[in-house]
C-alpha cells in the first residue's frame, strides 16, 4: 500500500541514508546538499517540506521517498513544478508512478493549480516513464539546459493539465 503523508522527525535517518546514495541523487538538483547531514534532514522536516505540497512516500508503513509540487509565483502561480526521489530499494515497482498520480489529483482538487510540470535530466529514463504513465505529456527538450558535476544535460519538460 502506497500512501503520502507529512514528514515526521522519525524520517530523518531514512532521508539521510537515501540522499547520501549517489544512485538516487545523480539526477537531482544540486541544491540538495551532498553529503546530506542530520542538520539538513532536520531543516527539511521542520521547514523545507512546508513550502508547497510536499509529502513523504510510505510503502507498507516504510519510508520510501519524497514527492512534492512547488507552485510558481506571479503570472506562473497557476503552474507548479513536481519533483520526487525514491530510495533505490523501491525502484521499478510502480511506486513513483502511483505517488505522482496521487499528488497531482490532490493538487488539482485542493489548490488553484491548472498545470503541473516536471523537468527531467536526459538519461533519467525511469522518471520519464513514470511521468508519461501518470498522464504527463512531453512538451519540450531544452538543449544543454542543465549543468551538473561538469556535465551538460538536456532538460526534458513534461506537463499535465487539470
Amino acid at each position: 500500500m502506497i500512501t503520502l503523508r507529512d514528514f515526521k522527525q522519525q524520517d530523518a535517518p531514512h532521508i539521510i541514508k537515501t540522499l547520501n546514495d549517489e544512485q538516487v541523487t545523480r539526477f537531482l538538483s544540486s541544491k540538495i546538499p551532498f553529503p546530506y547531514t542530520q542538520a539538513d534532514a532536520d531543516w527539511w522536516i521542520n521547514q523545507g517540506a512546508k513550502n508547497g505540497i510536499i509529502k513523504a512516500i510510505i510503502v507498507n508503513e516504510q519510508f520510501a521517498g519524497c514527492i512534492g509540487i512547488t507552485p510558481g509565483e506571479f503570472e506562473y502561480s497557476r503552474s507548479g513544478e513536481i519533483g520526487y526521489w525514491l530510495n533505490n530499494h523501491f525502484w521499478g515497482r510502480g511506486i513513483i508512478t502511483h505517488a505522482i498520480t496521487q499528488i497531482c489529483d490532490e493538487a488539482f482538487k485542493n489548490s488553484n493549480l491548472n498545470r503541473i510540470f516536471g523537468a527531467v535530466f536526459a538519461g533519467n529514463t525511469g522518471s520519464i516513464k513514470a511521468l508519461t504513465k501518470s498522464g504527463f505529456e512531453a512538451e519540450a527538450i531544452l538543449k544543454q539546459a542543465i549543468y551538473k558535476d561538469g556535465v551538460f544535460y538536456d532538460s526534458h519538460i513534461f506537463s499535465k493539465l487539470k
Side-chain angles (χ1 to χ4, degrees):
M1 181 160 149
I2 302 164
T3 57
L4 305 181
R5 65 156 168 77
D6 291 336
F7 279 87
K8 299 178 180 177
Q9 196 60 46
Q10 70 204 41
D11 298 330
H14 306 291
I15 296 168
I16 294 165
K17 181 179 180 187
T18 302
L19 292 179
N20 279 311
D21 180 342
E22 290 186 47
Q23 281 186 291
V24 173
T25 60
R26 177 177 171 206
F27 294 125
L28 295 182
S29 171
S30 55
K31 70 182 169 188
I32 297 172
F34 191 88
Y36 201 86
T37 67
Q38 180 69 47
D40 297 323
D42 291 341
W43 176 85
W44 178 252
I45 292 164
N46 296 311
Q47 295 177 44
K50 309 267 192 263
N51 299 320
I53 306 164
I54 300 175
K55 302 291 180 185
I57 302 169
I58 307 301
V59 178
N60 297 326
E61 300 182 28
Q62 284 187 295
F63 180 91
C66 173
I67 190 163
I69 299 172
T70 304
E73 297 180 321
F74 307 106
E75 62 272 13
Y76 296 103
S77 65
R78 301 294 295 270
S79 184
E81 183 175 9
I82 192 166
Y84 41 83
W85 47 264
L86 196 64
N87 183 292
N88 68 5
H89 297 293
F90 295 95
W91 289 3
R93 296 169 36 190
I95 292 164
I96 205 68
T97 302
H98 180 84
I100 291 168
T101 301
Q102 193 174 339
I103 201 164
C104 288
D105 289 349
E106 178 184 327
F108 286 142
K109 181 180 176 186
N110 298 320
S111 76
N112 68 352
L113 292 179
N114 185 64
R115 176 179 180 271
I116 298 171
F117 73 96
V120 181
F121 282 64
N124 190 347
T125 55
S127 190
I128 290 170
K129 190 183 296 183
L131 286 170
T132 55
K133 282 185 173 182
S134 302
F136 280 71
E137 294 182 11
E139 203 171 74
I141 298 174
L142 308 178
K143 298 292 186 185
Q144 297 186 8
I146 301 169
Y147 184 73
K148 183 177 177 186
D149 298 331
V151 178
F152 284 101
Y153 296 88
D154 292 350
S155 179
H156 293 248
I157 307 299
F158 293 84
S159 69
K160 183 175 189 174
L161 301 179
K162 187 172 187 174

